[in-house]
Amino acid sequence: MSTSTKSASPPGVQDPPAPPPPPRPSARVTWRRALRRDWQLYSLALLPLLFFLVFRYLPMLGNVIAFRRFEPGGSMFGEQWVGLRYVEMFLSDPTFWQVFRNTLWLGGLTLVFCFPIPIVLALLLNEVRRRALKRFVQSVSYLPHFLSIVIVAGITLQMLATDGPVNHVLGWFGHDEIRFIQEPEWFRTIYVGSEIWQTAGWGTILYLAALTTIDEDLYEAARIDGAGRWRQTWHVTLPGIRPTMITLLILNVGTFMAVGFEKVLLLYNPLTYQSSDVISTYVYRTGVESNSFSYAAAIGLFEAVIGLVLITSANQLSRRTVGTSLW
């Protein structure tokens, strides 16, 4: 019989302490090692980082002219401090508040209609079993995304002109011509409709990709439990793509105030200012056309602060309610 060679310590004598674990490499060493190993991959991010630095972060320095008097030809950062003078000016300007309401209307309508439609379209395409039909519908719905905003606005103006196809169809049914482009009450419908046409198909790509990650065993279990297609969609499909939905919703809320400047600028005219003029176009006219750069910078900074508050609040609310957030 062999006995253990490990002897116990005598009574009253403690075992020697265990040796300390080997020191972990510092984060700086690990980062340098990863950069040296994968420098080719990191170099691919150089151009995007330069783009954001030059066109996103450096222009933030110009926000200082919202609190300084800027004169063309003078200092790039203004001549003298004026404090909150320009902020008080636009807060007491009735035109600004009309523009602010228009921005809320267009941003709200765009969010309400343009956010859920890609989800519905993706769910419908997911049910199509004929691959040829599915690819055809995808190609047709994706195509408007690749058209420039100028072309989309031009098509919209031509379709809705007084002698355009829409008015011709209305004439066949005995209806009088409608001046869609000159009537303020039609602008929001035109804008939101063109946004749906241009973005709905492209927005389905992320949802279709998310649908492919759902485990097929969940659908099989739902069918065994007697769930139909509607219950499978409600209890399996929608929860499966919920993280994608929440992420895109937070991003859309963050751009709530930044209603499409280019499309509004191309579609509106002085006759529709009362319903079509938004903050971005008002800033353009105030700063570029009227040379009131400090006043325009103050309005733009106000818009940016509201957007930051919206995206931060939406992220916090999503984290507390559904447990999914962007950061």
Side-chain angles (χ1 to χ4, degrees):
M1 297 288 293
S2 61
T3 59
S4 173
T5 59
K6 181 179 180 180
S7 60
S9 300
V13 178
Q14 297 181 350
D15 293 333
R24 298 179 60 183
S26 63
R28 179 178 301 178
V29 175
T30 304
W31 181 85
R32 288 179 177 177
R33 185 180 303 169
L35 181 61
R36 190 181 305 112
R37 183 182 64 246
D38 301 321
W39 66 270
Q40 296 95 337
L41 295 177
Y42 285 106
S43 64
L44 297 176
L46 184 60
L47 287 179
L49 290 176
L50 286 176
F51 171 82
F52 280 100
L53 177 64
V54 173
F55 295 102
R56 293 293 186 269
Y57 289 99
L58 287 180
M60 289 183 183
L61 299 176
N63 286 326
V64 71
I65 67 173
F67 311 101
R68 295 174 63 90
R69 178 178 289 109
F70 176 83
E71 296 179 0
S75 173
M76 184 173 61
F77 297 107
E79 302 298 330
Q80 61 179 353
W81 288 99
V82 295
L84 299 177
R85 176 189 175 189
Y86 297 110
V87 177
E88 295 172 353
M89 284 177 59
F90 75 74
L91 289 179
S92 60
D93 184 3
T95 304
F96 168 77
W97 290 111
Q98 179 182 349
V99 169
F100 185 77
R101 287 192 297 269
N102 292 339
T103 306
L104 293 180
W105 267 107
L106 284 180
L109 291 174
T110 302
L111 183 64
V112 168
F113 289 99
C114 294
F115 175 73
I117 286 181
I119 302 175
V120 175
L121 183 58
L123 295 176
L124 294 176
L125 288 174
N126 192 52
E127 298 297 325
V128 177
R129 296 294 175 258
R130 296 181 60 181
R131 298 188 63 180
L133 177 60
K134 184 176 182 179
R135 290 179 178 177
F136 174 76
V137 174
Q138 285 178 305
S139 300
V140 172
S141 61
Y142 294 170
L143 180 61
H145 173 79
F146 297 99
L147 301 177
S148 69
I149 296 180
V150 176
I151 295 176
V152 172
I155 293 174
T156 303
L157 293 175
Q158 291 296 325
M159 292 290 293
L160 300 176
T162 53
D163 57 347
V166 175
N167 272 311
H168 280 301
V169 173
L170 292 177
W172 294 343
F173 293 96
H175 200 286
D176 295 334
E177 292 182 351
I178 300 177
R179 298 183 300 172
F180 293 101
I181 307 302
Q182 289 78 28
E183 299 292 339
E185 59 270 15
W186 279 102
F187 182 84
R188 292 167 184 164
T189 303
I190 294 171
Y191 177 84
V192 175
S194 64
E195 276 290 296
I196 293 174
W197 177 65
Q198 187 178 10
T199 62
W202 185 257
T204 62
I205 292 179
L206 292 177
Y207 295 113
L208 288 173
L211 287 171
T212 61
T213 64
I214 301 176
D215 191 353
E216 290 293 333
D217 293 339
L218 298 176
Y219 290 104
E220 183 66 25
R223 284 192 291 268
I224 293 175
D225 291 339
R229 297 302 302 174
W230 170 251
R231 288 190 174 274
Q232 291 178 38
T233 301
W234 185 259
H235 295 288
V236 178
T237 306
L238 290 179
I241 64 174
R242 185 174 63 181
T244 304
M245 294 168 55
I246 295 299
T247 300
L248 294 179
L249 178 60
I250 294 173
L251 294 175
N252 288 341
V253 170
T255 59
F256 180 84
M257 298 295 293
V259 180
F261 163 73
E262 296 89 351
K263 184 176 290 185
V264 174
L265 185 67
L266 293 169
L267 291 178
Y268 82 157
N269 57 76
L271 296 176
T272 60
Y273 277 175
Q274 66 183 49
S275 64
S276 62
D277 199 13
V278 294
I279 291 180
S280 56
T281 55
Y282 184 64
V283 169
Y284 168 76
R285 292 203 319 276
T286 302
V288 177
E289 296 182 359
S290 302
N291 292 328
S292 300
F293 295 102
S294 294
Y295 185 59
I299 299 175
L301 184 60
F302 177 74
E303 178 187 7
V305 170
I306 293 179
L308 178 63
V309 172
L310 286 176
I311 193 172
T312 305
S313 302
N315 189 76
Q316 293 294 331
L317 181 62
S318 173
R319 179 186 300 175
R320 294 181 180 181
T321 55
V322 298
T324 302
S325 60
L326 192 59
W327 69 87

